[in-house]
């Protein structure tokens, strides 16, 4: 085993132990229900009969990260938001032919087109005029393509990114995700345009960031962890422009050890900050006890 892989696996094991204090309270229950059912509708999201309330008038669309999917990425955050009264939806995007479960690998401009169609479906179902987007990793960056080039700004109120690679990462950073997804390493020897698009300085990212990081009319929140081992330096995740709120997780909870994967999937402090970004008028301070 390569030394960096051994070290990362050790780090992951340590995070599961030392990070337990910052895990979303729903995490244990979500893990139990995941064994009973693999469908997201059983936990209350992707319910197309859901109608937004006056308190939460916009549906929330969850956008998974590279190698992720519409269920596994959101086993904690989706029920967390449903419990708070939101209509919540998640999609799969960026699929490669013959590769099950592991998504977010196709060309990112095409993935943005899939998001476009999915948001239209959600808005038609709920009757809402706009949606809010919450994405992890690539899922926090890819929607910017939709907002900037596909007319998404007219349909989206807010984009909240958990550890988004807004200004790219290195291929080594992307390979550091592999220990979390056994068997996926062979994909690096095949055509994976979704990975190439995320490399810092790629033609895709150069075009995306030309002329500014944001578009008018959308609120942006970036929630990052200084222990991110995938998108580095972690401050490259932050956006510049009006209506931007950049947050470092350790400014809210100094003892939070969550890294790139945990901040999106398990971390209760990050999830509380997501709830604040979705409803800023009723935001409460995010702390280690959130």
């Amino acid at each position: 085993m390569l030394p960096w892989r051994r070290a990362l696996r050790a780090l992951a094991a340590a995070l599961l132990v030392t990070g337990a204090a910052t895990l979303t309270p729903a995490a244990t229950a979500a893990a139990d229900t995941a064994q009973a059912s693999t469908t997201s509708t059983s936990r209350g999201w992707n319910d197309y009969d859901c109608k937004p309330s006056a308190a939460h008038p916009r549906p929330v669309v969850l956008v998974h990260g590279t190698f992720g999917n519409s269920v596994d990425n959101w086993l904690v955050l989706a029920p967390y938001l449903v419990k708070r009264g939101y209509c919540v939806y998640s999609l799969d995007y960026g699929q490669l032919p013959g590769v099950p479960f592991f998504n977010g690998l196709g060309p990112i401009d095409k993935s943005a087109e899939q998001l476009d169609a999915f948001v239209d479906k959600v808005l038609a179902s709920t009757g809402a005029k706009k949606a809010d987007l919450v994405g992890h990793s690539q899922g926090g960056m890819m929607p910017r393509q939709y907002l900037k080039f596909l007319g998404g700004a007219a349909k989206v109120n807010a984009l909240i990114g958990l550890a988004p690679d807004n200004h790219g990462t290195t291929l080594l950073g992307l390979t550091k995700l592999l220990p979390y997804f056994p068997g996926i390493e062979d994909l690096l020897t095949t055509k994976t345009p979704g990975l190439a698009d995320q490399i810092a300085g790629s033609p895709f990212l150069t075009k995306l960031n030309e002329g500014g990081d944001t578009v008018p009319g959308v609120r942006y929140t970036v929630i990052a962890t200084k222990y991110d081992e995938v998108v580095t330096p972690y401050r490259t995740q932050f956006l510049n422009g009006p209506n931007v709120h950049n947050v470092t997780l350790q400014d809210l909870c100094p003892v939070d050890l969550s890294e790139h994967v945990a901040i999106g999937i398990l971390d209760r402090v990050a999830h509380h900050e997501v709830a604040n970004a979705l409803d800023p008028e009723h935001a409460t301070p995010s702390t280690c006890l959130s």
Side-chain angles (χ1 to χ4, degrees):
M1 184 185 299
L2 294 176
W4 69 267
R5 292 187 61 196
R6 187 182 300 112
L8 192 58
R9 283 180 175 166
L11 172 63
L15 285 167
L16 290 176
V17 176
T18 61
T22 61
L23 299 186
T24 302
T28 301
D32 292 340
T33 57
Q35 294 180 354
S37 173
T38 58
T39 60
S40 56
T41 53
S42 69
R43 286 175 293 280
W45 85 92
N46 283 341
D47 175 5
Y48 287 92
D49 291 325
C50 185
K51 298 300 179 185
S53 65
H56 301 304
R58 293 177 299 275
V60 178
V61 174
L62 304 177
V63 190
H64 65 73
T66 306
F67 301 135
N69 62 63
S70 62
V71 176
D72 293 341
N73 215 136
W74 308 119
L75 288 173
V76 177
L77 182 57
Y80 177 89
L81 294 176
V82 168
K83 185 178 179 181
R84 282 154 180 76
Y86 290 93
C87 294
V88 180
Y89 303 85
S90 60
L91 77 155
D92 288 304
Y93 71 87
Q95 301 91 333
L96 289 181
V99 180
F101 308 117
F102 302 111
N103 301 325
L105 297 170
I108 295 181
D109 57 349
K110 300 300 181 184
S111 295
E113 292 176 6
Q114 291 178 275
L115 176 61
D116 184 10
F118 189 81
V119 170
D120 283 350
K121 178 182 177 181
V122 167
L123 294 180
S125 170
T126 59
K129 293 182 178 180
K130 290 189 175 184
D132 290 323
L133 308 181
V134 180
H136 178 219
S137 192
Q138 180 190 164
M141 175 271 290
M142 177 271 281
R144 293 177 51 223
Q145 171 79 10
Y146 163 58
L147 298 178
K148 191 169 186 177
F149 297 113
L150 300 177
K155 306 172 189 177
V156 173
N157 169 71
L159 170 61
I160 303 161
L162 293 156
D165 51 346
N166 282 315
H167 299 97
T169 183
T170 63
L171 186 58
L172 179 59
L174 292 169
T175 64
K176 287 183 178 180
L177 285 169
L178 296 177
Y180 297 98
F181 304 96
I184 204 69
E185 291 178 82
D186 289 344
L187 283 177
L188 289 183
T189 63
T190 65
K191 188 176 181 181
T192 51
L195 296 183
D197 284 345
Q198 293 178 76
I199 297 173
S202 71
F204 171 80
L205 283 171
T206 299
K207 181 180 178 181
L208 178 64
N209 292 317
E210 262 180 352
D213 293 345
T214 64
V215 296
V218 179
R219 289 190 296 105
Y220 295 83
T221 300
V222 174
I223 305 168
T225 171
K226 68 179 184 180
Y227 298 116
D228 199 309
E229 79 286 20
V230 176
V231 185
T232 58
Y234 74 91
R235 291 186 179 278
T236 63
Q237 301 171 27
F238 293 152
L239 295 171
N240 295 304
N243 296 321
V244 170
H245 181 47
N246 293 314
V247 181
T248 301
L249 196 58
Q250 285 71 33
D251 289 343
L252 307 175
C253 177
V255 298
D256 195 314
L257 299 180
S258 289
E259 43 61 78
H260 185 81
V261 175
I263 189 176
I265 296 178
L266 296 173
D267 192 277
R268 77 182 190 188
V269 182
H271 291 175
H272 185 265
E273 198 63 13
V274 168
N276 281 345
L278 289 172
D279 189 7
E281 292 185 2
H282 300 95
T284 58
S286 295
T287 70
C288 296
L289 300 178
S290 293

